[in-house]
Amino acid sequence: MQTSFLKYLALRLATAALAVVGGVVLLLSLTPAHSREPRGHPARAARHPELIAALNVQMGLDLPLPQRLLKFFVDLAQGDLGTDILTNRPVLDAILEALPNTLALAVASMVLAIAIGIPLGAIGAFRPNGKIDQLIAFFSIGFISAPSFVVSIFVLLLFAVRLDWFPVLGVGTGFLDQLWHLVLPAFSLAILWIGYIARLLRSSLLEVLGEPYIRTMRAYGVPERVVLLKYALKPACIPTLAVLGMGVGELLGGAVFTEVIFNRPGLGSLVYQSISTRNYPVVQGGIFVIVLVFVVTNLLVDLSYAWIDPRGRERTHLEGERPA
Amino acid sequence: MTLPINRRQALVGGSALLAAATTGLLKPRFAHAADDTITIRTEEDLSNLDPANRTGPIDVNVINAVQQGLIAFKPGSTEWELDAAEDLKQVSDTEISFKLRPGLKFTDGYGDVDRRGREVLLRTFHQAGFRGQEGHLCRRLAGAGPCRVTGPLTGKLVLKNAAPALWVIALADGSGRIISKKAFEKLGEKGIATTLIGSGPYVLKEWKQRDHYTLVANPDYKGPIKSHFKTIIGKPIAEQKTADLAFQAGEIDFTQISPTNVKTFKALPKTTVTEVPAIDYIWFGPNIEAKPFDNVKVRQALRLAVDIDAVLTGAYGGLYPRANALLAPGLIGYWKDAPVYKRDVEAAKKLLEEAGQGGGFKTRLTILSNAENQAVAAIVPGPISRKSESSSRSRRWKPRPIGPWARTTPAPSWNSRWSSIAASSTRASRPNGSPRTRSAPGTGSAGRTRSSTIFMSGAPRRWTRRNARRSTSRPSSFRTSLRPSSGSPTISTPSRARTG
């Protein structure tokens, strides 16, 4: 069994590595699509055509794609993601400064989404099609439909400007201050996932509640609350867990609007600003890290999914022992 | 290690956090906490603090606050005055001699300027420029030669050719900053990109990238410029809406605001809204060396085909009057009686036929993607395309929201500088170019002759500040310095704002 799991792990690791390499190939392939445009800093490039060539050399854009790929991976093996063409700083430094802010935002959003979304989904499934369920459905769909940047503006207007409860800008200093700066952006970002998780959990919970073993428990007189919370909720959360893995990955790269509006110096806003200044080394490094985190997160979720769900473990076990 | 928290403890903890928030315990320190501190919004973060490699107006404003030049612009003016130099003379067409003020001292222990006269270095003149290329001043300004030190406090600049514009676009601006040779040699090109050593009225105390930077008054500064604030905190806020909200929430004291929000901000207590007349340019930048735009008649036809008034109404809500020349009112060289090109389809058709393009042609309009530009891109091709339907061939425009090269909206002085560079190059290339000029930039007509400008809008800039201070909040402390920018002006630090 252990051997089969190791085989499964090796397979998933290989798939994940392939996904990262594929992402890098795609990323580097897209860069020369701008070859008709000046690639350097716009202000400089417009005035100094010879600087464009110098910048291209510095960014490695003068090399053919295979050489660029090779150079990228060789540099990567040495922990070098390139140099910021504007500040002359190592790209890795800029990313390591930004990444904790984005991770904090993504994790806080997801925690908030889970903390609110799962109870809402459970309440909805407890009395399906009741008034509370309909109300939750109404809000959930509303949350899913509301773009995060619109929500961000509204929560800022209400909680920062009118009520003066929370700050508008930045990430803060010190743990409590950083936590306080995290509330509004995390909430804005979590809104969509609250609705999504609530709807997803409700439907999977209803499906589980229709299973024969639940019917048996009810027949034995197990209280409904115990049936729901103890025996139905855990298996119903498994599909949600898989979605959460994707969600964390998406939040890492998709928090751009929230980071821009709340002026948080995170990874998304770093990549956004670098795209607007055509700072390709930072763009490449930033997207590479986002891809990496996305793939690693999904890998961990896949592994935990197999670990949590006994049926999944069994399937893995059987597939591992299946003769070739 | 585990941290056992039961439900009751979690509820109590949550309530305590909420209580702390509502009572202000966890509130951030707001911008107007101290009278001698001002928090300003900049549209971008600092990028490169090496004067020779600076990337834009945000960099140069901070560089100018920390490093001195031989001369500096007078606050709110394009006239210059002596700064680090006690004396400055144009000895000949190609030689400028200077004498530094005594007592100038570099920050961070890099030495007294007067004791280390030989370490004074005019970075751009003396060193290779961007990425090892020849310093752009050397190339563009008829070849500025080395800065030669002739004594403890004296030196001279030797030019290869006369460069009259050197005074206003180099000596008084970011290119002419004096940096410590010792600091440059120690820190290297990469080091001085992030570490700012100077002798100016402010010290860059902290720069937390993409979050904020802090300038504090330099106690060792000996020059004539007065610092109105002990501390200036710059916060890069790219999103205009965020800046508006941050100002309303009291987290910043000074920002540019959306024109549509002027009424809202005027109604805020302790707030002053300042409107600065300016011109916001949008121009077509066709390749005039390639067909069909190599023919001036095609460009003229395009100018006549675009309905500029419709653009101003449709894309800018009719808020801005039309500008008909490159320079804003108030600038030297402003062309008051510039011709107003109204849409004239028949004349445009005639010009196209004369250019051999009677059947029309296809081209592509590339814009920088934002709401205003997309509206412009939607309006501009409309009438042209409709007109083409009556032509024998389709002449379609395809707005593509990608690269910025064909579209830019510089601040007025950006264009002024651009014009000035072009004009001064022309003058300097004459055998007997004027040895020196103190006129404001933008006095030449190069902008008009070179430009393929089709339309402009006279878009005033709105700035707002909070009147939360005593004398330190005098309007004179807030000068706008319209510098090269990709769309918006930036404010100068109060170091440039002198009340005399």
Side-chain angles (χ1 to χ4, degrees), chain B residues 153-481:
Chain B
L153 288 173
T154 57
K156 61 181 177 182
L157 293 169
V158 181
L159 311 178
K160 290 176 186 169
N161 300 302
L166 185 79
W167 292 77
V168 283
I169 66 170
L171 292 182
D173 204 0
S175 299
R177 298 299 96 184
I178 297 169
I179 72 168
S180 161
K181 185 178 179 183
K182 186 180 172 186
F184 178 73
E185 287 173 351
K186 184 178 177 186
L187 299 169
E189 188 168 333
K190 286 192 176 181
I192 63 167
T194 51
T195 308
L196 198 50
I197 306 297
S199 54
Y202 281 91
V203 177
L204 182 63
K205 182 185 174 189
E206 185 188 19
W207 175 20
K208 191 175 176 188
Q209 297 204 347
R210 300 170 63 234
D211 190 71
H212 72 276
Y213 59 86
T214 306
L215 293 165
V216 294
N218 181 5
D220 296 326
Y221 174 64
K222 297 289 193 302
I225 297 170
K226 288 183 174 61
S227 307
H228 290 289
F229 294 93
K230 283 186 181 171
T231 307
I232 300 168
I233 300 168
K235 293 197 173 185
I237 305 173
E239 175 59 38
Q240 180 61 53
K241 189 69 188 170
T242 304
D244 290 355
L245 292 170
F247 184 86
Q248 291 180 68
E251 292 188 39
I252 54 175
D253 299 313
F254 189 84
T255 179
Q256 183 184 355
I257 59 172
S258 314
T260 49
N261 276 344
V262 171
K263 282 186 181 175
T264 307
F265 278 88
K266 278 184 175 174
L268 291 176
K270 297 179 179 178
T271 298
T272 300
V273 175
T274 306
E275 297 188 31
V276 181
I279 291 182
D280 195 5
Y281 304 92
I282 297 179
W283 66 73
F284 291 118
N287 184 350
I288 60 171
E289 293 179 356
K291 288 186 182 301
F293 292 108
D294 60 337
N295 191 325
V296 68
K297 289 184 177 177
V298 174
R299 304 198 296 270
Q300 288 171 343
L302 195 58
R303 180 169 61 190
L304 290 170
V306 175
D307 192 345
I308 297 166
D309 294 326
V311 169
L312 291 171
T313 305
Y316 297 93
L319 285 169
Y320 305 129
R322 175 175 171 167
N324 299 304
L326 283 169
L327 298 179
L331 286 177
I332 298 172
Y334 167 60
W335 194 5
K336 189 180 175 184
D337 303 318
V340 180
Y341 296 100
K342 291 286 183 184
R343 185 166 179 248
D344 188 339
V345 177
E346 290 309 313
K349 271 183 180 177
K350 193 178 172 189
L351 281 167
L352 279 179
E353 281 170 9
E354 288 172 10
Q357 296 286 347
F361 60 90
K362 284 185 182 179
T363 190
R364 187 179 65 205
L365 176 63
T366 304
I367 60 164
L368 182 66
S369 181
N370 63 33
E372 282 180 357
N373 289 352
Q374 286 174 5
V376 172
I379 295 166
V380 166
I384 300 174
S385 298
R386 276 201 299 277
K387 189 176 79 64
S388 71
E389 286 165 10
S390 61
S391 307
S392 56
R393 280 174 56 190
S394 168
R395 178 149 38 92
R396 290 178 298 164
W397 284 63
K398 294 179 181 175
R400 288 165 60 91
I402 43 173
W405 68 271
R407 185 269 185 214
T408 181
T409 55
S413 66
W414 191 97
N415 195 76
S416 302
R417 288 162 53 94
W418 172 63
S419 303
S420 178
I421 290 166
S424 64
S425 298
T426 308
R427 285 198 296 273
S429 64
R430 292 201 305 259
N432 296 313
S434 168
R436 169 176 163 180
T437 175
R438 290 186 56 173
S439 61
T443 53
S445 60
R448 285 193 294 274
T449 54
R450 173 184 160 180
S451 169
S452 55
T453 300
I454 307 297
F455 64 89
M456 297 155 266
S457 63
R461 300 283 179 185
R462 269 82 171 185
W463 298 83
T464 187
R465 65 181 174 82
R466 192 182 310 284
N467 292 337
R469 294 177 185 77
R470 301 184 300 272
S471 59
T472 51
S473 65
R474 291 191 301 272
S476 59
S477 298
F478 298 87
R479 305 285 184 170
T480 54
S481 170

Side-chain angles (χ1 to χ4, degrees), chain A residues 20-32 65 68-69 72 280-289 291:
Chain A
V20 172
V21 172
V24 172
V25 171
L26 192 64
L27 176 64
L28 296 191
S29 308
L30 288 174
T31 314
L65 181 62
R68 286 172 58 206
L69 277 168
F72 184 86
Y280 288 136
V282 182
V283 175
Q284 287 173 1
I287 293 179
F288 169 74
V289 170
V291 168

Side-chain angles (χ1 to χ4, degrees), chain A residues 96-106 108-109 166-187 262 264-265, chain B residues 17 25-29 208 211-212:
Chain A
L96 289 178
E97 276 178 17
L99 190 60
N101 295 327
T102 301
L103 279 175
L105 182 60
S109 306
F166 295 97
V168 177
L169 301 173
V171 291
T173 51
F175 180 70
L176 281 180
D177 196 31
Q178 284 184 348
L179 212 59
W180 212 238
H181 278 78
L182 202 55
V183 174
L184 290 187
F187 178 72
F262 287 93
R264 291 180 64 84
Chain B
L17 274 176
L25 193 65
L26 285 178
K27 273 188 181 177
R29 293 171 62 189
K208 191 175 176 188
D211 190 71
H212 72 276

Side-chain angles (χ1 to χ4, degrees), chain A residues 155-171:
Chain A
V155 298
L156 275 175
L157 274 170
L158 181 62
F159 293 108
V161 175
R162 189 158 301 261
L163 297 174
D164 203 10
W165 285 359
F166 295 97
V168 177
L169 301 173
V171 291

